[in-house]
């Protein structure tokens, strides 16, 4: 396990003149007298919005504005949501704030390649750059390290060193960095670096997050070469807007998986992972994607939600997370997109549901498969999944969610396909457990094997994330 000191140098002069500090917005909240004369339980709540990768000088300087519409939409609803919560929880007085981070202009680590003196170019910091001893992305002097380091600086700058109950709302690479900081991810993985803010983060909301590593063969990049080669050759400018991502970002996105980090947050805190796929042109990927990312790369097994999607070849796989609409990668940030308002409204509803109503989590996640081929109208034995509910949790009904792929071998039998929901029978158990069976009810002429993905789920007994905060 490697650890490094979190030294913070003085802000560079060139940055101080670029962007005015973002002061957290504090929405009007109901007067304490509307709750209880004996109100004694103050509760703070903070939202931090985090941008994704930006590829031009001007967009980097203004990266903190990319989620402004979402930030404003949530902030506008907070007074009424807070009033309703306080009315049903006498004695609780909530103060809330929201702010936007800019990691490009944030206080840098001061550890950078000798040939890169502009800290806004952190996306270009590769392993092996001159003046660095980095061995992997995530070591100091790399893009991955700098995204994580600067996010911590923005948390402290915008909310102070003691604020708690912070909800990180990240888009794309910003979502990845949020999961990694919350899970204390270092170059050797989860829990290998103390970023110093884990106890202050209540949850993470990911929107079109760049979660999984994109280099593996389970994702098919358009063209004959690998993702990292395509990325570093600058052949994806049309996918990521004007300009191209830096070479260090290509390594970070290609070789480093944020799945363990997202799973840790899903299990130990709360998360809401919002994923999407649409007909986006141009697209970097074959199969389902949001144009920039494969559908199945936007979540992790402990991200609430199961969605079937084509995999390389003729089979299917699962995309973990909550499908929040048929949106392209930048729809949530691009005010000129025809679907922008719908994306903002959907993401807003999901954030508010997590915080105030249903802080649903995945308690257990796994896979299963038939022992052999299942004949027409035959049913598998029951698959038992899940177990006892975590302390303070109540089972979500139905406790079990399951999806699957029916395997059709041979060219003339057709391709594998997702199993229709009506072929599953799910039964809840006494706790956060249950069973499921599959009835092969669609092919009267052939028997077929199948593979399944499942999750069991629960809610805190108080309902929303607020019920868990202090």
């Amino acid at each position: 396990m490697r650890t490094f000191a979190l030294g913070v140098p003085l802000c560079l002069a060139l940055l101080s003149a670029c962007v005015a500090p973002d002061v957290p917005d504090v929405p009007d909240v109901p007067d304490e007298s509307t709750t209880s004369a004996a109100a004694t339980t103050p509760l703070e709540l903070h939202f931090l919005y985090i941008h994704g990768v930006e590829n031009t000088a001007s967009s980097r300087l203004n990266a903190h504005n990319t989620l402004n519409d979402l930030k404003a939409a949530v902030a506008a609803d907070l007074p009424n949501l807070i009033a309703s919560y306080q009315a049903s929880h006498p004695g609780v007085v909530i103060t809330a704030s929201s702010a936007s981070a800019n990691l490009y202009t944030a206080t840098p680590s001061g550890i950078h390649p000798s040939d890169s003196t502009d800290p806004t170019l952190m996306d270009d910091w590769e392993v092996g750059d001159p003046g660095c001893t980095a061995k992997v992305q995530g070591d100091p002097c790399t893009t991955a390290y700098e995204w994580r380091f600067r996010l911590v600086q923005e948390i402290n700058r915008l909310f102070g060193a003691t604020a708690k109950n912070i909800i990180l709302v990240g888009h794309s690479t910003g979502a990845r960095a949020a999961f990694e900081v919350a899970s204390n991810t270092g170059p050797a993985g989860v829990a290998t670096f103390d970023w110093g803010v884990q106890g202050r983060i209540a949850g993470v909301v990911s929107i079109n997050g760049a979660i999984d590593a994109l280099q593996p063969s389970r994702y098919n990049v358009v063209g004959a070469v690998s993702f990292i080669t395509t990325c570093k050759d600058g052949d994806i400018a049309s996918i990521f807007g004007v300009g191209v991502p830096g070479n260090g970002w290509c390594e970070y996105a290609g070789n480093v998986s944020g799945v363990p980090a997202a799973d840790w947050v899903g299990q130990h805190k709360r998360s809401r992972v919002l994923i999407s796929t649409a007909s986006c042109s141009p697209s970097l990927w074959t199969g389902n994607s949001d144009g920039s990312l494969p559908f199945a790369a936007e979540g992790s097994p402990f991200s609430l939600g199961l969605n079937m999607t084509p995999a390389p070849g003729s089979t299917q796989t699962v995309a973990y997370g909550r499908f929040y609409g048929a949106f392209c990668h930048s729809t949530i940030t691009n005010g000129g997109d025809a679907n922008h308002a719908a994306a903002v409204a959907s993401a807003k509803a999901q954030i508010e549901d997590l915080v105030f109503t249903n802080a649903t989590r995945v308690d257990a996640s796994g896979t299963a498969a038939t022992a052999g081929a299942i004949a027409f109208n035959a049913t598998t034995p029951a698959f038992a999944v899940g177990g006892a509910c975590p302390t303070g949790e109540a089972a979500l009904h139905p406790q079990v969610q399951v999806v699957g792929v029916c395997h059709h071998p041979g060219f003339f039998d057709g391709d594998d396909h997702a199993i229709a929901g009506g072929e599953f029978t799910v039964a809840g158990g006494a706790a956060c457990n249950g069973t499921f069976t599959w009835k092969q009810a669609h092919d009267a002429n052939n028997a077929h094997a199948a593979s399944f993905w499942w999750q069991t789920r629960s809610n805190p007994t108080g309902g929303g994330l607020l019920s868990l905060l202090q």
Side-chain angles (χ1 to χ4, degrees), residues 142-447:
T142 65
T143 297
Y145 178 85
E146 205 66 14
W147 273 78
R148 300 164 188 169
F149 179 94
R150 296 190 195 186
L151 176 54
V152 174
Q153 310 317 305
E154 289 290 82
I155 290 172
N156 290 330
R157 177 179 74 86
L158 293 164
F159 300 122
T162 61
K164 59 182 180 180
N165 300 337
I166 300 169
I167 299 169
L168 304 177
V169 182
H171 175 242
S172 193
T173 306
R176 158 82 78 87
F179 281 126
E180 291 171 339
V181 166
S183 62
N184 276 336
T185 292
V190 169
T192 64
F193 190 103
D194 184 3
W195 290 106
V197 294
Q198 184 178 82
R200 299 165 57 201
I201 297 172
V204 175
V205 176
S206 167
I207 306 172
N208 296 89
I211 306 304
D212 200 10
L214 300 178
Q215 183 72 357
S217 59
R218 60 180 170 273
Y219 307 119
N220 274 0
V221 68
V222 172
V225 295
S226 70
F227 167 77
I228 291 179
T229 299
T230 299
C231 186
K232 287 189 174 184
D233 284 349
D235 295 335
I236 59 176
S238 60
I239 306 298
F240 288 91
V242 179
V244 295
N247 287 345
W249 181 86
C250 296
E251 294 178 347
Y252 181 22
N255 290 333
V256 181
S257 175
V259 166
D263 275 348
W264 189 94
V265 174
Q267 291 173 284
H268 296 89
K269 294 184 179 290
R270 298 286 154 160
S271 69
R272 187 64 59 91
V273 175
L274 306 183
I275 65 177
S276 69
T277 179
S279 179
C280 305
S281 181
S283 176
L284 185 60
W285 309 93
T286 62
N288 290 349
S289 76
D290 66 4
S292 298
L293 298 171
F295 190 39
E298 298 174 31
S300 70
F302 282 85
S303 302
L304 180 68
L306 300 172
N307 311 265
M308 294 304 296
T309 184
S314 60
T315 191
Q316 300 263 321
T317 189
V318 68
Y320 296 101
R322 179 69 61 85
F323 179 72
Y324 80 111
F327 307 123
C328 294
H329 188 73
S330 297
T331 299
I332 192 69
T333 62
N334 180 6
D337 189 302
N339 294 315
H340 175 70
V344 168
S346 181
K348 179 195 74 167
Q350 292 291 335
I351 293 169
E352 294 172 358
D353 179 69
L354 170 69
V355 176
F356 290 94
T357 308
N358 298 295
T360 309
R361 78 187 316 167
V362 176
D363 298 313
S365 178
T367 61
T370 59
I374 306 300
F376 179 63
N377 278 340
T379 300
T380 64
F383 293 89
V385 297
C389 294
T391 301
E393 300 283 315
L396 178 71
H397 299 283
Q399 292 97 315
V400 180
Q401 183 181 7
V402 60
V403 296
V405 54
C406 178
H407 299 294
H408 283 232
F411 178 81
F412 294 105
D413 286 332
D415 292 337
D416 291 357
H417 61 85
I419 295 173
E423 293 190 1
F424 287 112
T425 298
V426 175
C432 294
N433 65 325
T435 63
F436 70 87
T437 60
W438 172 52
K439 181 178 181 179
Q440 199 278 87
H442 64 275
D443 189 346
N445 300 314
N446 299 284

